[in-house]
């Protein structure tokens, strides 16, 4: 257990009626409570995160508090003791990751391609709001962008999308779809980045950017001159018959 953690008790109206701290074993108690409905609130220490809620069948050993609020409801009956309301604590690991994919890796000039950009939270800490920026290749032109729950805007080749909701540990946000028209041939690279909306520091940054390459073939140009048949030989080149013998001159 973790000692020195502040624990509050709220009544049904949300008023704090008692406060205590955990002992060296991580235990806490509120005594002589009248029967009724309460809410236990565990105040998260700096640098810590709550472990996932109710992941075990044994309610005496898993974490019961909400990941965001640290709260868990409790009902106390006459003469009853409630002893299974716990909070699991972990070292905070704030982390975001982004993935960009394309519906085809080869295209021709004039084709439309669709990029799918997905942000996720592989860490153990809820992240309240994220920002994803997708940069399209210069050889493409933006057609459209959309994503459920995202607020997106475009400027030039950049599409910036804000997800204002909380991204929970292990969750992915709805994907953002970006459609573009291919304008040029070559190897066209698109990239995507992600960061927390509040710009708080992350533990891992190596998964905060991703890229994908589209190969566009150069168009083939037919020859301006039509093919010609073999030219007939010229007079000088014409084959001649053997000359006939001439009579002796008198």
């Amino acid at each position: 257990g973790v000692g020195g953690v502040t624990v509050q008790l709220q009544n049904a109206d949300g008023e704090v009626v008692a406060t205590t701290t955990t002992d060296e074993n991580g235990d806490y108690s509120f005594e002589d409570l009248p029967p009724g409905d309460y809410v236990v609130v565990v105040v998260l220490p700096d640098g810590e995160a709550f472990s996932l809620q109710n992941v075990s069948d044994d309610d005496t050993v898993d974490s019961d508090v909400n990941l965001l609020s640290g709260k868990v409801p409790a009902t106390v009956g006459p003469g009853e003791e409630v002893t299974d309301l716990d909070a699991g604590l972990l070292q905070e690991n704030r982390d975001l990751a982004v993935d960009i994919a394309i519906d085809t890796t080869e295209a021709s000039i004039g084709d439309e391609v669709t990029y799918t950009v997905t942000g996720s939270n592989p860490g153990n800490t809820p992240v309240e709001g994220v920002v994803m920026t997708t940069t399209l290749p210069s050889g493409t032109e933006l057609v459209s962008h959309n994503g459920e729950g995202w607020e997106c805007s475009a400027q030039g080749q950049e599409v910036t999308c804000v997800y204002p909701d909380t991204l929970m540990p292990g969750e992915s946000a709805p994907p953002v779809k970006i459609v573009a028209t291919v304008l040029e041939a070559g190897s066209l690279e698109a990239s995507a980045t992600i960061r927390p909306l509040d710009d708080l520091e992350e533990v891992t940054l190596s998964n905060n950017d991703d890229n994908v390459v589209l190969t566009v073939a150069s168009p083939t140009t037919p020859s301006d001159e039509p093919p010609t048949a073999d030219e007939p030989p010229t007079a000088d080149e014409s084959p001649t018959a053997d000359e006939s013998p001439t009579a002796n001159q008198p």
Side-chain angles (χ1 to χ4, degrees):
V2 180
V5 178
T6 300
V7 184
Q8 299 174 340
L9 187 68
Q10 297 179 349
N11 61 19
D13 296 326
E15 300 170 334
V16 177
V17 296
T19 300
T20 188
T21 56
T22 58
D23 62 20
E24 59 184 8
N25 298 316
D27 296 328
Y28 70 94
S29 64
F30 297 104
E31 300 178 353
D32 302 323
L33 296 176
D37 295 325
Y38 297 90
V39 175
V40 174
V41 184
V42 179
V43 179
L44 190 65
D46 291 340
E48 301 287 326
F50 292 119
S51 60
L52 294 177
Q53 186 179 23
N54 297 327
V55 294
S56 170
D57 293 333
D58 186 353
D59 202 41
T60 63
V61 297
D62 69 357
S63 185
D64 302 295
V65 300
N66 181 276
L67 277 174
L68 291 176
S69 66
K71 296 181 178 182
V72 57
T75 299
V76 179
E80 182 183 10
E81 289 186 356
V82 179
T83 60
D84 59 356
L85 299 181
D86 307 307
L89 297 179
L90 301 169
Q91 183 176 358
E92 184 181 61
N93 179 17
R94 175 189 283 266
D95 192 19
L96 290 173
V98 66
D99 175 80
I100 181 171
I102 192 170
D103 61 345
T104 181
T105 57
E106 297 181 353
S108 300
I109 293 177
D111 289 349
E112 284 191 355
V113 295
T114 301
Y115 295 94
T116 301
V117 190
T118 306
S120 61
N121 180 357
N124 64 10
T125 306
V127 178
E128 298 184 38
V130 300
V131 180
M132 285 196 316
T133 301
T134 303
T135 303
L136 298 175
S138 59
T140 62
E141 183 178 60
L142 176 66
V143 175
S144 65
H145 53 74
N146 67 83
E148 182 181 352
W150 292 88
E151 300 169 0
C152 296
S153 61
Q155 184 173 5
Q157 298 301 102
E158 283 193 353
V159 179
T160 301
C161 297
V162 177
Y163 188 71
D165 296 339
T166 299
L167 196 56
M168 302 297 287
E171 288 186 349
S172 295
V176 173
K177 300 283 188 178
I178 301 174
V179 180
T181 301
V182 179
L183 302 179
E184 298 177 5
S187 182
L188 310 182
E189 181 178 283
S191 62
T193 62
I194 192 170
R195 62 175 176 83
L197 184 59
D198 55 16
D199 284 326
L200 290 179
E201 185 177 355
E202 295 180 61
V203 173
T204 304
L205 296 178
S206 59
N207 53 4
N208 282 38
D209 57 80
D210 194 23
N211 59 73
V212 66
V213 175
L214 173 67
T215 301
V216 182
S218 299
T220 57
T221 304
S223 174
D224 293 335
E225 297 181 0
T228 58
D230 292 339
E231 294 184 0
T234 62
D236 293 338
E237 298 174 347
S238 300
T240 58
D242 292 340
E243 293 183 0
S244 58
T246 59
N248 291 332
Q249 296 287 336

